[in-house]
Amino acid sequence: MSFFRALALAFAASIIAGCSADERTEVTGTVTLKGTPLKNGTISFEPLDGQKTRATAVIAGGAFGVPRESGLVPGKYLVRVSAGDGKTAVNPVNPDNPPGPGGGTNIISKELVPADWNVNSKQERTVSKEGPNRFEIVIP
């Protein structure tokens, strides 16, 4: 009898695991900054409806993608975009001071994306079960 109970539990667990994987959706899109495709950066989706998924994707040539296997379940997400210029050394504590002690050359790049799309973002997107979940992110 315990063999059948264990088999039933394993079957139920596989169905539950399968359902959560089936809920994930691919998320793709483009990002433009001041009318130009964002060359390099990252975009993150942080859950706002208690979902158990979040994602960060690389932006290359203005495009990004999160494959279904690591995708997002339906719901609202906070969107944050980040892109450094890759050359301007900045002081992360006080941008008005030289970078590092004595004006070192640490490259903590100057952020190109405005704060309202980054650290102070209130930008939201809704991922739907039906899809397609393609987002055109236009940053002025």
Side-chain angles (χ1 to χ4, degrees), residues 44-131:
S44 65
F45 295 86
E46 300 171 18
L48 292 173
D49 290 337
Q51 311 92 307
K52 295 188 189 248
T53 57
R54 65 181 53 227
T56 299
V58 172
I59 301 166
F64 69 89
V66 179
R68 182 173 183 257
E69 306 80 58
S70 55
L72 300 171
V73 298
K76 280 187 181 178
Y77 290 84
L78 177 69
V79 176
R80 295 181 195 270
V81 178
S82 179
D85 70 358
K87 59 185 177 187
T88 306
V90 297
N91 182 323
V93 177
N94 184 350
D96 295 328
N97 288 338
T105 58
N106 297 345
I107 298 294
I108 299 175
S109 296
K110 176 181 175 187
E111 181 64 59
L112 299 173
V113 177
D116 62 339
W117 275 92
N118 190 303
V119 294
N120 298 329
S121 179
K122 293 189 180 18
Q123 308 298 325
E124 296 179 11
R125 294 296 183 273
T126 300
V127 172
S128 70
K129 185 176 182 178
E130 296 78 34

Side-chain angles (χ1 to χ4, degrees), residues 6-7 10 21 41 53 137:
L7 186 60
T53 57
I137 307 296

